[in-house]
PDB file of all heavy atoms in Angstrom:
ATOM      1  N   LYS A  25      32.687   7.625  19.638  1.00 85.00           N
ATOM      2  CA  LYS A  25      32.713   8.959  20.068  1.00 85.00           C
ATOM      3  C   LYS A  25      34.099   9.374  20.448  1.00 85.00           C
ATOM      4  O   LYS A  25      34.406  10.600  20.682  1.00 85.00           O
ATOM      5  CB  LYS A  25      31.824   9.143  21.300  1.00 85.00           C
ATOM      6  CG  LYS A  25      30.226   9.031  20.930  1.00 85.00           C
ATOM      7  CD  LYS A  25      29.457   9.374  22.118  1.00 85.00           C
ATOM      8  CE  LYS A  25      27.895   9.386  21.760  1.00 85.00           C
ATOM      9  NZ  LYS A  25      27.437   8.045  21.145  1.00 85.00           N
ATOM     10  N   ASP A  26      35.030   8.482  20.584  1.00 87.00           N
ATOM     11  CA  ASP A  26      36.351   8.756  21.045  1.00 87.00           C
ATOM     12  C   ASP A  26      37.254   9.027  19.740  1.00 87.00           C
ATOM     13  O   ASP A  26      38.494   9.206  19.773  1.00 87.00           O
ATOM     14  CB  ASP A  26      37.012   7.612  21.845  1.00 87.00           C
ATOM     15  CG  ASP A  26      37.064   6.344  21.270  1.00 87.00           C
ATOM     16  OD1 ASP A  26      36.107   6.078  20.348  1.00 87.00           O
ATOM     17  OD2 ASP A  26      37.800   5.424  21.718  1.00 87.00           O
ATOM     18  N   GLN A  27      36.619   8.975  18.565  1.00 88.00           N
ATOM     19  CA  GLN A  27      37.425   9.113  17.326  1.00 88.00           C
ATOM     20  C   GLN A  27      37.005  10.179  16.516  1.00 88.00           C
ATOM     21  O   GLN A  27      35.956  10.745  16.853  1.00 88.00           O
ATOM     22  CB  GLN A  27      37.291   7.881  16.538  1.00 88.00           C
ATOM     23  CG  GLN A  27      37.816   6.471  17.234  1.00 88.00           C
ATOM     24  CD  GLN A  27      37.671   5.335  16.320  1.00 88.00           C
ATOM     25  OE1 GLN A  27      37.495   5.340  15.056  1.00 88.00           O
ATOM     26  NE2 GLN A  27      37.567   4.199  17.023  1.00 88.00           N
ATOM     27  N   ASN A  28      37.744  10.684  15.463  1.00 89.00           N
ATOM     28  CA  ASN A  28      37.377  11.757  14.535  1.00 89.00           C
ATOM     29  C   ASN A  28      37.063  13.106  15.217  1.00 89.00           C
ATOM     30  O   ASN A  28      36.121  13.702  14.813  1.00 89.00           O
ATOM     31  CB  ASN A  28      36.118  11.353  13.736  1.00 89.00           C
ATOM     32  CG  ASN A  28      36.394   9.939  13.076  1.00 89.00           C
ATOM     33  OD1 ASN A  28      37.329   9.716  12.343  1.00 89.00           O
ATOM     34  ND2 ASN A  28      35.582   8.953  13.352  1.00 89.00           N
ATOM     35  N   ILE A  29      37.803  13.359  16.313  1.00 91.00           N
ATOM     36  CA  ILE A  29      37.500  14.572  17.074  1.00 91.00           C
ATOM     37  C   ILE A  29      38.402  15.774  16.517  1.00 91.00           C
ATOM     38  O   ILE A  29      39.619  15.614  16.219  1.00 91.00           O
ATOM     39  CB  ILE A  29      37.821  14.391  18.486  1.00 91.00           C
ATOM     40  CG1 ILE A  29      36.944  13.353  19.182  1.00 91.00           C
ATOM     41  CG2 ILE A  29      37.732  15.673  19.339  1.00 91.00           C
ATOM     42  CD1 ILE A  29      37.277  12.919  20.547  1.00 91.00           C
ATOM     43  N   LEU A  30      37.775  16.886  16.239  1.00 91.00           N
ATOM     44  CA  LEU A  30      38.498  18.052  15.702  1.00 91.00           C
ATOM     45  C   LEU A  30      38.922  18.914  16.887  1.00 91.00           C
ATOM     46  O   LEU A  30      39.820  19.756  16.673  1.00 91.00           O
ATOM     47  CB  LEU A  30      37.647  18.840  14.679  1.00 91.00           C
ATOM     48  CG  LEU A  30      37.318  18.020  13.385  1.00 91.00           C
ATOM     49  CD1 LEU A  30      36.287  18.721  12.564  1.00 91.00           C
ATOM     50  CD2 LEU A  30      38.576  17.853  12.634  1.00 91.00           C
ATOM     51  N   GLY A  31      38.180  18.893  17.904  1.00 91.00           N
ATOM     52  CA  GLY A  31      38.424  19.898  19.059  1.00 91.00           C
ATOM     53  C   GLY A  31      37.208  19.876  19.843  1.00 91.00           C
ATOM     54  O   GLY A  31      36.204  19.052  19.827  1.00 91.00           O
ATOM     55  N   GLN A  32      37.145  20.954  20.747  1.00 90.00           N
ATOM     56  CA  GLN A  32      36.094  21.072  21.699  1.00 90.00           C
ATOM     57  C   GLN A  32      35.583  22.562  21.768  1.00 90.00           C
ATOM     58  O   GLN A  32      36.446  23.431  21.614  1.00 90.00           O
ATOM     59  CB  GLN A  32      36.455  20.750  23.205  1.00 90.00           C
ATOM     60  CG  GLN A  32      36.626  19.225  23.284  1.00 90.00           C
ATOM     61  CD  GLN A  32      36.820  18.709  24.678  1.00 90.00           C
ATOM     62  OE1 GLN A  32      37.562  19.407  25.549  1.00 90.00           O
ATOM     63  NE2 GLN A  32      36.171  17.608  25.183  1.00 90.00           N
ATOM     64  N   ILE A  33      34.337  22.752  21.923  1.00 90.00           N
ATOM     65  CA  ILE A  33      33.679  24.028  22.031  1.00 90.00           C
ATOM     66  C   ILE A  33      33.244  24.166  23.422  1.00 90.00           C
ATOM     67  O   ILE A  33      32.481  23.354  24.078  1.00 90.00           O
ATOM     68  CB  ILE A  33      32.507  24.210  21.052  1.00 90.00           C
ATOM     69  CG1 ILE A  33      32.965  23.852  19.619  1.00 90.00           C
ATOM     70  CG2 ILE A  33      31.945  25.593  21.198  1.00 90.00           C
ATOM     71  CD1 ILE A  33      31.941  23.689  18.693  1.00 90.00           C
ATOM     72  N   ASN A  34      33.466  25.314  24.077  1.00 88.00           N
ATOM     73  CA  ASN A  34      33.086  25.588  25.456  1.00 88.00           C
ATOM     74  C   ASN A  34      32.056  26.847  25.425  1.00 88.00           C
ATOM     75  O   ASN A  34      32.582  27.865  25.208  1.00 88.00           O
ATOM     76  CB  ASN A  34      34.277  25.857  26.298  1.00 88.00           C
ATOM     77  CG  ASN A  34      33.863  25.759  27.802  1.00 88.00           C
ATOM     78  OD1 ASN A  34      32.710  25.849  28.153  1.00 88.00           O
ATOM     79  ND2 ASN A  34      34.998  25.495  28.542  1.00 88.00           N
ATOM     80  N   ILE A  35      30.802  26.573  25.731  1.00 84.00           N
ATOM     81  CA  ILE A  35      29.763  27.760  25.730  1.00 84.00           C
ATOM     82  C   ILE A  35      29.029  27.539  27.028  1.00 84.00           C
ATOM     83  O   ILE A  35      28.439  26.390  27.311  1.00 84.00           O
ATOM     84  CB  ILE A  35      28.892  27.563  24.546  1.00 84.00           C
ATOM     85  CG1 ILE A  35      29.597  27.473  23.260  1.00 84.00           C
ATOM     86  CG2 ILE A  35      27.902  28.694  24.546  1.00 84.00           C
ATOM     87  CD1 ILE A  35      28.765  27.361  21.974  1.00 84.00           C
ATOM     88  N   PRO A  36      28.999  28.412  27.932  1.00 83.00           N
ATOM     89  CA  PRO A  36      28.272  28.343  29.214  1.00 83.00           C
ATOM     90  C   PRO A  36      26.776  28.441  28.886  1.00 83.00           C
ATOM     91  O   PRO A  36      26.295  28.966  27.979  1.00 83.00           O
ATOM     92  CB  PRO A  36      28.728  29.523  29.948  1.00 83.00           C
ATOM     93  CG  PRO A  36      29.142  30.649  28.995  1.00 83.00           C
ATOM     94  CD  PRO A  36      29.741  29.746  27.738  1.00 83.00           C
ATOM     95  N   ASN A  37      25.987  27.720  29.844  1.00 80.00           N
ATOM     96  CA  ASN A  37      24.559  27.765  29.895  1.00 80.00           C
ATOM     97  C   ASN A  37      23.949  27.325  28.551  1.00 80.00           C
ATOM     98  O   ASN A  37      23.032  28.032  28.102  1.00 80.00           O
ATOM     99  CB  ASN A  37      24.164  29.170  30.261  1.00 80.00           C
ATOM    100  CG  ASN A  37      24.699  29.743  31.557  1.00 80.00           C
ATOM    101  OD1 ASN A  37      24.711  28.957  32.535  1.00 80.00           O
ATOM    102  ND2 ASN A  37      25.105  30.965  31.620  1.00 80.00           N
ATOM    103  N   ILE A  38      24.391  26.211  28.232  1.00 81.00           N
ATOM    104  CA  ILE A  38      23.783  25.626  26.928  1.00 81.00           C
ATOM    105  C   ILE A  38      23.074  24.284  27.288  1.00 81.00           C
ATOM    106  O   ILE A  38      23.301  23.731  28.254  1.00 81.00           O
ATOM    107  CB  ILE A  38      24.723  25.358  25.820  1.00 81.00           C
ATOM    108  CG1 ILE A  38      25.923  24.354  26.339  1.00 81.00           C
ATOM    109  CG2 ILE A  38      25.424  26.705  25.346  1.00 81.00           C
ATOM    110  CD1 ILE A  38      26.842  23.955  25.279  1.00 81.00           C
ATOM    111  N   PRO A  39      22.080  23.957  26.416  1.00 81.00           N
ATOM    112  CA  PRO A  39      21.430  22.533  26.681  1.00 81.00           C
ATOM    113  C   PRO A  39      22.421  21.409  26.335  1.00 81.00           C
ATOM    114  O   PRO A  39      23.458  21.666  25.655  1.00 81.00           O
ATOM    115  CB  PRO A  39      20.387  22.506  25.604  1.00 81.00           C
ATOM    116  CG  PRO A  39      20.794  23.443  24.520  1.00 81.00           C
ATOM    117  CD  PRO A  39      21.580  24.716  25.252  1.00 81.00           C
ATOM    118  N   LYS A  40      22.232  20.317  27.059  1.00 85.00           N
ATOM    119  CA  LYS A  40      23.102  19.173  26.871  1.00 85.00           C
ATOM    120  C   LYS A  40      23.170  18.638  25.379  1.00 85.00           C
ATOM    121  O   LYS A  40      22.025  18.481  24.885  1.00 85.00           O
ATOM    122  CB  LYS A  40      22.662  18.043  27.739  1.00 85.00           C
ATOM    123  CG  LYS A  40      23.393  16.856  27.695  1.00 85.00           C
ATOM    124  CD  LYS A  40      23.067  15.744  28.715  1.00 85.00           C
ATOM    125  CE  LYS A  40      23.887  14.423  28.525  1.00 85.00           C
ATOM    126  NZ  LYS A  40      25.333  14.695  28.495  1.00 85.00           N
ATOM    127  N   CYS A  41      24.291  18.472  24.876  1.00 90.00           N
ATOM    128  CA  CYS A  41      24.553  18.115  23.427  1.00 90.00           C
ATOM    129  C   CYS A  41      25.430  16.860  23.485  1.00 90.00           C
ATOM    130  O   CYS A  41      26.266  16.696  24.373  1.00 90.00           O
ATOM    131  CB  CYS A  41      25.054  19.174  22.611  1.00 90.00           C
ATOM    132  SG  CYS A  41      23.970  20.669  22.479  1.00 90.00           S
ATOM    133  N   ASP A  42      25.273  16.078  22.439  1.00 91.00           N
ATOM    134  CA  ASP A  42      26.070  14.883  22.361  1.00 91.00           C
ATOM    135  C   ASP A  42      27.379  15.139  21.400  1.00 91.00           C
ATOM    136  O   ASP A  42      28.233  14.368  21.381  1.00 91.00           O
ATOM    137  CB  ASP A  42      25.449  13.698  21.619  1.00 91.00           C
ATOM    138  CG  ASP A  42      24.314  13.265  22.676  1.00 91.00           C
ATOM    139  OD1 ASP A  42      24.571  13.066  23.837  1.00 91.00           O
ATOM    140  OD2 ASP A  42      23.166  12.865  22.217  1.00 91.00           O
ATOM    141  N   GLY A  43      27.384  16.226  20.712  1.00 93.00           N
ATOM    142  CA  GLY A  43      28.432  16.685  19.720  1.00 93.00           C
ATOM    143  C   GLY A  43      28.054  17.651  18.932  1.00 93.00           C
ATOM    144  O   GLY A  43      26.833  18.269  18.922  1.00 93.00           O
ATOM    145  N   ALA A  44      29.052  18.056  17.932  1.00 93.00           N
ATOM    146  CA  ALA A  44      28.788  19.080  16.869  1.00 93.00           C
ATOM    147  C   ALA A  44      29.531  18.742  15.780  1.00 93.00           C
ATOM    148  O   ALA A  44      30.585  18.086  15.719  1.00 93.00           O
ATOM    149  CB  ALA A  44      29.211  20.434  17.517  1.00 93.00           C
ATOM    150  N   VAL A  45      28.956  19.178  14.566  1.00 93.00           N
ATOM    151  CA  VAL A  45      29.598  18.927  13.239  1.00 93.00           C
ATOM    152  C   VAL A  45      29.461  20.144  12.410  1.00 93.00           C
ATOM    153  O   VAL A  45      28.607  21.084  12.686  1.00 93.00           O
ATOM    154  CB  VAL A  45      29.045  17.752  12.478  1.00 93.00           C
ATOM    155  CG1 VAL A  45      29.217  16.462  13.145  1.00 93.00           C
ATOM    156  CG2 VAL A  45      27.555  17.988  12.311  1.00 93.00           C
ATOM    157  N   TYR A  46      30.341  20.327  11.278  1.00 92.00           N
ATOM    158  CA  TYR A  46      30.153  21.387  10.353  1.00 92.00           C
ATOM    159  C   TYR A  46      28.978  21.171   9.438  1.00 92.00           C
ATOM    160  O   TYR A  46      28.867  19.937   9.093  1.00 92.00           O
ATOM    161  CB  TYR A  46      31.471  21.517   9.590  1.00 92.00           C
ATOM    162  CG  TYR A  46      32.535  22.342  10.312  1.00 92.00           C
ATOM    163  CD1 TYR A  46      33.567  21.560  10.829  1.00 92.00           C
ATOM    164  CD2 TYR A  46      32.535  23.587  10.419  1.00 92.00           C
ATOM    165  CE1 TYR A  46      34.597  22.195  11.590  1.00 92.00           C
ATOM    166  CE2 TYR A  46      33.495  24.229  11.279  1.00 92.00           C
ATOM    167  CZ  TYR A  46      34.560  23.555  11.784  1.00 92.00           C
ATOM    168  OH  TYR A  46      35.605  24.281  12.463  1.00 92.00           O
ATOM    169  N   VAL A  47      28.338  22.278   8.913  1.00 90.00           N
ATOM    170  CA  VAL A  47      27.272  22.009   8.029  1.00 90.00           C
ATOM    171  C   VAL A  47      27.849  22.157   6.611  1.00 90.00           C
ATOM    172  O   VAL A  47      28.685  23.034   6.398  1.00 90.00           O
ATOM    173  CB  VAL A  47      26.130  23.119   8.220  1.00 90.00           C
ATOM    174  CG1 VAL A  47      25.077  23.171   7.101  1.00 90.00           C
ATOM    175  CG2 VAL A  47      25.491  22.816   9.486  1.00 90.00           C
ATOM    176  N   LYS A  48      27.313  21.361   5.582  1.00 87.00           N
ATOM    177  CA  LYS A  48      27.726  21.557   4.164  1.00 87.00           C
ATOM    178  C   LYS A  48      26.435  21.635   3.487  1.00 87.00           C
ATOM    179  O   LYS A  48      25.360  21.045   3.800  1.00 87.00           O
ATOM    180  CB  LYS A  48      28.442  20.340   3.715  1.00 87.00           C
ATOM    181  CG  LYS A  48      29.864  20.303   4.233  1.00 87.00           C
ATOM    182  CD  LYS A  48      30.789  19.472   3.342  1.00 87.00           C
ATOM    183  CE  LYS A  48      32.185  19.641   3.733  1.00 87.00           C
ATOM    184  NZ  LYS A  48      33.165  18.897   2.957  1.00 87.00           N
ATOM    185  N   GLY A  49      26.389  22.452   2.350  1.00 85.00           N
ATOM    186  CA  GLY A  49      25.251  22.672   1.434  1.00 85.00           C
ATOM    187  C   GLY A  49      24.422  23.882   1.909  1.00 85.00           C
ATOM    188  O   GLY A  49      24.692  24.570   2.869  1.00 85.00           O
ATOM    189  N   ASP A  50      23.327  24.217   1.098  1.00 85.00           N
ATOM    190  CA  ASP A  50      22.556  25.329   1.258  1.00 85.00           C
ATOM    191  C   ASP A  50      21.023  25.123   1.442  1.00 85.00           C
ATOM    192  O   ASP A  50      20.244  25.898   1.265  1.00 85.00           O
ATOM    193  CB  ASP A  50      22.688  26.297   0.123  1.00 85.00           C
ATOM    194  CG  ASP A  50      22.153  25.717  -1.167  1.00 85.00           C
ATOM    195  OD1 ASP A  50      21.928  24.442  -1.294  1.00 85.00           O
ATOM    196  OD2 ASP A  50      22.085  26.476  -2.162  1.00 85.00           O
ATOM    197  N   SER A  51      20.712  23.854   1.897  1.00 87.00           N
ATOM    198  CA  SER A  51      19.283  23.536   1.990  1.00 87.00           C
ATOM    199  C   SER A  51      18.670  24.169   3.129  1.00 87.00           C
ATOM    200  O   SER A  51      17.395  24.424   3.023  1.00 87.00           O
ATOM    201  CB  SER A  51      19.199  21.934   2.211  1.00 87.00           C
ATOM    202  OG  SER A  51      19.699  21.548   3.493  1.00 87.00           O
ATOM    203  N   MET A  52      19.379  24.683   4.082  1.00 89.00           N
ATOM    204  CA  MET A  52      18.622  25.469   5.228  1.00 89.00           C
ATOM    205  C   MET A  52      19.039  26.966   5.193  1.00 89.00           C
ATOM    206  O   MET A  52      18.843  27.654   6.203  1.00 89.00           O
ATOM    207  CB  MET A  52      19.063  24.910   6.657  1.00 89.00           C
ATOM    208  CG  MET A  52      18.597  23.476   6.734  1.00 89.00           C
ATOM    209  SD  MET A  52      16.785  23.239   6.581  1.00 89.00           S
ATOM    210  CE  MET A  52      16.229  24.027   8.116  1.00 89.00           C
ATOM    211  N   TYR A  53      19.660  27.400   4.008  1.00 86.00           N
ATOM    212  CA  TYR A  53      20.079  28.748   3.863  1.00 86.00           C
ATOM    213  C   TYR A  53      18.706  29.599   3.848  1.00 86.00           C
ATOM    214  O   TYR A  53      17.812  29.366   3.227  1.00 86.00           O
ATOM    215  CB  TYR A  53      20.871  29.002   2.688  1.00 86.00           C
ATOM    216  CG  TYR A  53      21.435  30.338   2.472  1.00 86.00           C
ATOM    217  CD1 TYR A  53      22.512  30.770   3.038  1.00 86.00           C
ATOM    218  CD2 TYR A  53      20.655  31.278   1.732  1.00 86.00           C
ATOM    219  CE1 TYR A  53      23.058  32.075   2.938  1.00 86.00           C
ATOM    220  CE2 TYR A  53      21.128  32.663   1.557  1.00 86.00           C
ATOM    221  CZ  TYR A  53      22.404  32.980   2.157  1.00 86.00           C
ATOM    222  OH  TYR A  53      22.856  34.287   2.016  1.00 86.00           O
ATOM    223  N   PRO A  54      18.667  30.825   4.528  1.00 84.00           N
ATOM    224  CA  PRO A  54      19.791  31.483   5.286  1.00 84.00           C
ATOM    225  C   PRO A  54      19.870  31.296   6.736  1.00 84.00           C
ATOM    226  O   PRO A  54      20.661  31.819   7.530  1.00 84.00           O
ATOM    227  CB  PRO A  54      19.458  33.005   5.086  1.00 84.00           C
ATOM    228  CG  PRO A  54      17.876  33.040   5.029  1.00 84.00           C
ATOM    229  CD  PRO A  54      17.531  31.866   4.343  1.00 84.00           C
ATOM    230  N   LEU A  55      18.907  30.280   7.265  1.00 86.00           N
ATOM    231  CA  LEU A  55      19.140  30.016   8.716  1.00 86.00           C
ATOM    232  C   LEU A  55      20.547  29.403   9.028  1.00 86.00           C
ATOM    233  O   LEU A  55      21.180  29.662  10.020  1.00 86.00           O
ATOM    234  CB  LEU A  55      18.101  28.970   9.047  1.00 86.00           C
ATOM    235  CG  LEU A  55      16.551  29.459   9.149  1.00 86.00           C
ATOM    236  CD1 LEU A  55      15.609  28.326   9.559  1.00 86.00           C
ATOM    237  CD2 LEU A  55      16.474  30.581  10.206  1.00 86.00           C
ATOM    238  N   LEU A  56      20.962  28.493   8.093  1.00 88.00           N
ATOM    239  CA  LEU A  56      22.243  27.916   8.159  1.00 88.00           C
ATOM    240  C   LEU A  56      22.985  27.998   6.875  1.00 88.00           C
ATOM    241  O   LEU A  56      22.308  27.912   5.694  1.00 88.00           O
ATOM    242  CB  LEU A  56      22.148  26.349   8.540  1.00 88.00           C
ATOM    243  CG  LEU A  56      21.544  25.999   9.896  1.00 88.00           C
ATOM    244  CD1 LEU A  56      21.376  24.436  10.048  1.00 88.00           C
ATOM    245  CD2 LEU A  56      22.389  26.579  11.034  1.00 88.00           C
ATOM    246  N   LYS A  57      24.202  28.242   6.852  1.00 87.00           N
ATOM    247  CA  LYS A  57      24.939  28.206   5.659  1.00 87.00           C
ATOM    248  C   LYS A  57      26.090  27.280   5.782  1.00 87.00           C
ATOM    249  O   LYS A  57      26.518  26.890   6.880  1.00 87.00           O
ATOM    250  CB  LYS A  57      25.402  29.629   5.275  1.00 87.00           C
ATOM    251  CG  LYS A  57      26.446  30.252   6.252  1.00 87.00           C
ATOM    252  CD  LYS A  57      26.885  31.673   5.806  1.00 87.00           C
ATOM    253  CE  LYS A  57      27.934  32.220   6.709  1.00 87.00           C
ATOM    254  NZ  LYS A  57      28.322  33.519   6.302  1.00 87.00           N
ATOM    255  N   SER A  58      26.713  26.883   4.547  1.00 85.00           N
ATOM    256  CA  SER A  58      27.895  26.022   4.584  1.00 85.00           C
ATOM    257  C   SER A  58      28.938  26.486   5.344  1.00 85.00           C
ATOM    258  O   SER A  58      29.396  27.741   5.208  1.00 85.00           O
ATOM    259  CB  SER A  58      28.265  25.699   3.171  1.00 85.00           C
ATOM    260  OG  SER A  58      29.122  24.664   3.159  1.00 85.00           O
ATOM    261  N   GLY A  59      29.443  25.810   6.339  1.00 87.00           N
ATOM    262  CA  GLY A  59      30.625  26.296   7.220  1.00 87.00           C
ATOM    263  C   GLY A  59      30.085  26.488   8.668  1.00 87.00           C
ATOM    264  O   GLY A  59      30.939  26.596   9.531  1.00 87.00           O
ATOM    265  N   ASP A  60      28.843  26.750   8.853  1.00 90.00           N
ATOM    266  CA  ASP A  60      28.260  26.783  10.209  1.00 90.00           C
ATOM    267  C   ASP A  60      28.468  25.516  11.033  1.00 90.00           C
ATOM    268  O   ASP A  60      28.739  24.374  10.374  1.00 90.00           O
ATOM    269  CB  ASP A  60      26.800  27.032  10.123  1.00 90.00           C
ATOM    270  CG  ASP A  60      26.520  28.628   9.727  1.00 90.00           C
ATOM    271  OD1 ASP A  60      27.487  29.291   9.470  1.00 90.00           O
ATOM    272  OD2 ASP A  60      25.336  28.878   9.490  1.00 90.00           O
TER     273      ASP A  60
END
């Protein structure tokens, strides 16, 4: 978890998360699109 870090996102009042990544592909489109 201390490697491959691109940055940090700060959002108030959110559920506890372990991390975030970019989405690739269109399998969940239009709920999610590539780049989300």
Side-chain angles (χ1 to χ4, degrees):
K25 293 183 175 62
D26 59 339
Q27 301 178 22
N28 308 301
I29 296 174
L30 294 173
Q32 289 187 320
I33 304 166
N34 195 337
I35 306 175
N37 302 318
I38 58 171
K40 180 174 174 56
C41 299
D42 292 321
V45 295
Y46 284 102
V47 172
K48 287 197 172 183
D50 64 348
S51 66
M52 297 303 289
Y53 185 84
L55 286 182
L56 298 173
K57 67 179 183 179
S58 189
D60 287 355

